[in-house]
Amino acid sequence: EHHVDRLHDDHRRARQLAQALQARPYVAEVLPVETNLVIFRMHDTHPAEEFLARLEQHHIKASIFGPQTIRFVTHLDVDDAMLGRAEQVLQQLDHI
């Protein structure tokens, strides 16, 4: 009911984040993005818990969504600058 007029921004950011994840060597699969949820699976050689800990060091929040599966959510408190910073951090983690 609230902020409905800006939901398209959340969905756009989610699609952009999914594209950034697809380019990462540690990501095995990114599920299709239809809303503001981005769900992806890490390669087995990259523990999801370790990945989340590294994100946390950069003040980026995500959550475990299943075995080797992680979920990001774009929402009202995530703007384009934050998304850009997240994309930079994801690229830096290519070497984990």
Side-chain angles (χ1 to χ4, degrees):
E1 293 179 21
H2 304 285
H3 309 290
V4 173
D5 57 329
R6 54 157 309 283
L7 277 176
H8 68 279
D9 291 330
D10 295 337
H11 296 177
R12 174 184 52 80
R13 289 182 184 110
R15 288 189 302 272
Q16 186 176 336
L17 182 57
Q19 288 177 336
L21 286 164
Q22 289 173 339
R24 308 286 44 100
Y26 47 82
V27 173
E29 175 187 23
V30 179
L31 297 181
V33 175
E34 297 179 16
T35 62
N36 65 327
L37 301 176
V38 181
I39 300 169
F40 65 100
R41 188 175 54 80
M42 304 282 293
H43 283 291
D44 290 338
T45 55
H46 295 83
E49 292 84 5
E50 180 181 327
F51 178 76
L52 289 177
R54 289 180 184 254
L55 289 178
E56 186 69 31
Q57 291 173 350
H58 295 278
H59 308 288
I60 297 173
K61 304 245 185 236
S63 58
I64 293 285
F65 203 64
Q68 284 299 97
T69 305
I70 295 175
R71 180 185 75 162
F72 281 112
V73 180
T74 58
H75 52 77
L76 178 63
D77 297 324
V78 177
D79 62 20
D80 287 334
M82 291 173 168
L83 178 61
R85 176 70 180 126
E87 290 173 322
Q88 290 174 346
V89 169
L90 292 171
Q91 186 173 10
Q92 290 171 6
L93 296 179
D94 283 356
H95 308 290
I96 61 172

